[in-house]
Amino acid sequence: MGRREDLFAELKSIKNELEKITLKGLFKENPKRFEEFSVSLENMTLDYSKININKDAISKLFEVAKECKVEEKRDAMFSGEKINITENRAVLHTALRNKSDNQIFVDGKDVIPDIKEVLQNMKEFATSIRDGKILSSTNEEFTDIINIGIGGSHLGPEMVSQALTPYCDGPKVHFVSNIDSSHLSDTIKDLNPATTLVIVASKTFTTIETMTNAKSAKKWFQESLGEKEANLHFAALSTALEKTKEFGISDDRVFGFWDWVGGRYSIWSAIGLSVMIAIGADSFDEFLEGAFIMDEHFKTAPIEKNMPMLLGLIGIWHRNICDYDTRAILPYDQRLRSFAMYVQQLDMESNGKRVTLSGEELKIKSGPIVWGEPGTNSQHSFFQLLHQGKDIIPCEFMLAVNNHENGMDIHNDLLMANCLAQSQAMMNGRDIDEVRTILKDSGLCEEKIEELAPHKVFEGNRPSSTLIYKKLDPKTLGKIIALYEHRVFVEGAIWDVGSFDQWGVELGKELATKMVSYIQDDSKDTKLLDSSSKGLLDTIKLWNKNKKG
């Protein structure tokens, strides 16, 4: 990767030169900056003109992508090559939304027929639930669905269901992930077990959090409906047919997926069943169609017009050239309130790596910290730091132009105005001379002006991008999620990390399995534990002796 480092050094030189001029100055120099630094796909536009780059920087970033063979790696992923080398797996979430007639082979087998079969089974089941053809043990229609999963089996379905609330005309969907008993307890307390269906999402049917919640949910059904009847209130998203059968779930209510689908990329698979029940098979198909459109764009658009490529390269610019540690995802849409959390897993679990694909220690920084909240709420919490803090945090605004509500245009006008104003304020800032003038015009004396002025200065020159789209419908959401998936891919390809494994989550799970035995067995020897763990365990055991204390 010597050439990559050379290109990074050249990019740093460009960055140093760009520091001599502000973003505000770049716009003064080039009135057509928006046209030259934005890219569109159907009813979606990515504006990156408020990023402190110029044509030289973009051109050099394109060289980085060529040097790191991003396009070749992209093609390898789409073709079914086993690019997840630590698990010897293909990476084919894109095949799940493939709308072409192309075959895709894994180990010599075309996977498309299997994908279509599972999707058809999902459609038949979801439609039968929605139409009342599949009934509960009491011969009633299901009014509520509980999706029990964790990680990708939870974050994706929950985020998508929230985002597509206007299209949710089926049973109400609830989500349980945390092993904390309050999550399941608070979810079921107002539900009727006679009209509730639980979907258990676990590929192996052994995930400790998921199976603990599933067993407690089954107990809830058994106590109310009876042991045999409880089984009629479960479906499973799993490949472990023996375990699902042992749990009491019939094979026709088990929907499988494949080891070439990573959890955080699985919303397009059977993991999306709860979403399909909520929004219907047709809307779910539009959701897949949107992702396919972005896939085709990523595969075929030239790099200078390729939205995922550009978003990924901007990420490289911020992380490795500007040395920014975090990025903020700021959707100006309450229904996307879980989107930043979703992207957080997608990004940080994929690219939070310390070694390259060959196992060598990385010499550059990889995945950034990803976080965020919806606007306008976030403006009244952490935007203070974004505007006036010492750290520069690139912001990624998201905005729908058309809302779903009738007679509430004033809300949407104010929402859009706030989004545009925040990115403008981050770019322009307000210098001390302007502050003094404003304070003087307000009638303050000179002494008070000098006292207040430093506190009201905004340095500006803070980078942001804006993803603007016509309306948040199923197809658009599909495009947005696929855009961020491919952005993660582009960055991981340049860093040369394994973006599709997640070994970093294993150690804590392994130790938790051992730790529970200490909590449950008072006779277990704790001499080999560190003093902190032992002290905490002793406190837990003491307090557990009198839970009412």
Side-chain angles (χ1 to χ4, degrees), residues 202-345:
S202 172
K203 187 182 293 185
T204 62
F205 231 62
T206 59
T207 309
I208 186 67
E209 297 94 340
T210 298
M211 297 317 300
T212 301
N213 279 322
K215 289 172 185 175
S216 293
K218 189 169 186 180
K219 183 180 178 182
W220 176 61
F221 285 117
Q222 289 171 335
E223 290 174 349
S224 176
L225 306 172
E227 189 162 342
K228 184 179 178 182
E229 288 78 4
N231 293 335
L232 296 176
H233 292 257
F234 280 88
L237 314 176
S238 178
T239 55
L241 286 176
E242 289 185 11
K243 287 186 171 63
T244 56
K245 189 174 293 183
E246 181 183 335
F247 190 88
I249 303 174
S250 61
D251 288 355
D252 63 342
R253 291 193 178 189
V254 180
F255 305 88
F257 47 109
W258 304 269
D259 65 4
W260 37 259
V261 181
R264 56 194 175 276
Y265 296 90
S266 64
I267 184 59
W268 323 100
S269 72
I271 293 297
L273 179 61
S274 59
V275 176
M276 186 184 285
I277 293 173
I279 68 175
D282 289 343
S283 290
F284 192 84
D285 200 55
E286 291 177 15
F287 175 61
L288 298 179
E289 174 72 21
F292 174 70
I293 290 169
M294 185 58 71
D295 290 344
E296 291 298 293
H297 171 76
F298 183 44
K299 284 167 60 177
T300 62
I303 191 169
E304 64 274 9
K305 293 293 183 182
N306 193 304
M307 198 177 289
M309 285 282 195
L310 288 164
L311 194 59
L313 292 172
I314 289 166
I316 295 296
W317 171 259
H318 284 154
R319 185 69 172 126
N320 299 114
I321 310 306
C322 301
D323 205 29
Y324 300 146
D325 291 327
T326 82
R327 60 174 62 131
I329 310 292
L330 306 169
Y332 272 63
D333 190 327
Q334 182 63 20
R335 294 191 175 111
L336 284 176
R337 59 190 176 275
S338 294
F339 186 75
M341 191 188 310
Y342 176 81
V343 175
Q344 188 176 70
Q345 187 209 17

Side-chain angles (χ1 to χ4, degrees), residues 92-215:
L92 277 176
H93 49 281
T94 55
L96 299 168
R97 61 245 191 169
N98 176 37
K99 296 292 182 179
S100 72
D101 295 324
N102 297 336
Q103 295 177 307
I104 302 174
F105 291 90
V106 176
D107 293 326
K109 180 184 178 182
D110 181 13
V111 300
I112 297 300
D114 289 344
I115 292 171
K116 288 182 177 179
E117 181 182 0
V118 172
L119 185 60
Q120 182 59 34
N121 291 340
M122 289 169 60
K123 288 179 178 179
E124 291 175 1
F125 182 75
T127 302
S128 295
I129 292 289
R130 287 167 57 86
D131 292 349
K133 293 178 182 177
I134 293 178
L135 300 174
S136 74
S137 63
T138 58
N139 287 320
E140 296 177 77
E141 292 188 15
F142 288 107
T143 59
D144 294 271
I145 310 293
I146 303 175
N147 185 95
I148 297 179
I150 199 164
S153 301
H154 164 78
L155 289 167
E158 183 175 48
M159 182 275 290
V160 172
S161 295
Q162 289 174 352
L164 298 181
T165 295
Y167 303 88
C168 290
D169 53 4
K172 187 175 181 180
V173 182
H174 313 265
F175 296 90
V176 172
S177 59
N178 202 324
I179 202 169
D180 184 341
S181 57
S182 65
H183 200 179
L184 178 63
S185 179
D186 290 350
T187 300
I188 64 176
K189 68 178 181 180
D190 295 322
L191 299 184
N192 179 3
T195 58
T196 299
L197 176 75
V198 168
I199 300 174
V200 184
S202 172
K203 187 182 293 185
T204 62
F205 231 62
T206 59
T207 309
I208 186 67
E209 297 94 340
T210 298
M211 297 317 300
T212 301
N213 279 322
K215 289 172 185 175

Side-chain angles (χ1 to χ4, degrees), residues 493-509:
I494 291 172
W495 289 321
D496 192 35
V497 298
S499 297
F500 301 100
D501 59 26
Q502 55 281 331
W503 298 108
V505 306
E506 297 299 321
L507 179 58
K509 289 163 60 177

